[in-house]
Amino acid sequence: MTVREILKMGDPRLLRQAQAIAQFKTPELLQGIEDMKETMLAAHGAGLAAPQIGWDVQLVIFGTGQVIPRYPDAAPIPMTVLINPTITPLSAEEQNDWEGCLSVPGLRAVVPRWQSIRYTGFDENGNVIDRTAEGFHAKVVQHECDHLMGILYPQRIRDFANFGFNSVLFPELAPEKSA
Ligand code: NI
């Protein structure tokens, strides 16, 4: 396993429409996923999308093994590999909450996301994933899948008064998980 470099905002590779994956369980796919897991762990991330390491495929990973300080009531998210995902909102209700990104280090903003979603796709072996999610879990999935469409969270900010540096906005908190 290799910790890969995480691309930062401004790199044009973060702005591509990612390619669908046609074959599961290939050595290249499995190796890439292992690298992504290692990279996310090293960066203390809650999620990582393949384009963030310059890999132009529709693949995201996410999961939290523990409670996150800013979201103490959020249930842990199982470690998930999600390929060729689709997201469907289950209601028009939105939630506005703080969000960060490993490709936009040090910053945080309030971003609107669907409160409740259904997401589908495949794992690395081609097994179907079909889940509903709410709150923090739904937010992470939407953030990661945005990366596959070349969208970084600053593009979704509605009120730039709520965009700033972590160290200024939340000086009392330890560095947090980003995605
Ligand atoms: Ni991100």
Side-chain angles (χ1 to χ4, degrees):
M1 293 199 289
T2 310
V3 174
R4 304 278 296 270
E5 180 192 359
I6 297 176
L7 305 183
K8 294 192 179 70
M9 185 168 62
D11 191 305
R13 288 172 289 179
L14 290 169
L15 302 177
R16 295 184 292 200
Q17 299 277 332
Q19 304 295 309
I21 287 176
Q23 277 193 302
F24 301 100
K25 255 202 278 199
T26 63
E28 181 198 13
L29 180 66
L30 299 178
Q31 182 61 55
I33 290 168
E34 288 308 306
D35 286 357
M36 283 181 63
K37 287 180 177 174
E38 189 80 355
T39 303
M40 185 178 94
L41 193 69
H44 306 289
L48 189 70
Q52 290 181 278
I53 60 165
W55 191 14
D56 187 24
V57 293
Q58 292 179 22
L59 188 160
V60 301
I61 66 172
F62 51 87
T64 56
Q66 60 193 31
V67 171
I68 296 170
R70 271 197 69 74
Y71 304 94
D73 299 327
I77 304 169
M79 187 63 211
T80 301
V81 174
L82 183 63
I83 291 170
N84 301 346
T86 64
I87 294 178
T88 311
L90 293 179
S91 82
E93 188 184 347
E94 290 180 342
Q95 55 176 349
N96 289 289
D97 208 345
W98 293 97
E99 213 163 287
C101 180
L102 295 173
S103 294
V104 191
L107 292 162
R108 198 152 284 253
V110 171
V111 177
R113 298 289 184 185
W114 303 115
Q115 161 65 25
S116 177
I117 61 168
R118 174 185 178 192
Y119 66 92
T120 65
F122 302 90
D123 71 10
E124 64 270 44
N125 296 313
N127 299 311
V128 171
I129 293 173
D130 187 344
R131 293 181 186 158
T132 58
E134 297 187 339
F136 183 70
H137 185 167
K139 184 163 80 99
V140 169
V141 174
Q142 289 170 83
H143 176 110
E144 295 313 325
C145 291
D146 261 3
H147 278 294
L148 306 182
M149 298 183 285
I151 297 171
L152 301 173
Y153 80 80
Q155 293 166 253
R156 295 206 180 270
I157 297 172
R158 290 181 183 159
D159 179 359
F160 281 87
N162 293 319
F163 184 35
F165 289 94
N166 263 331
S167 56
V168 178
L169 290 163
F170 305 109
E172 74 284 8
L173 289 178
E176 282 193 47
K177 284 182 181 278
S178 297

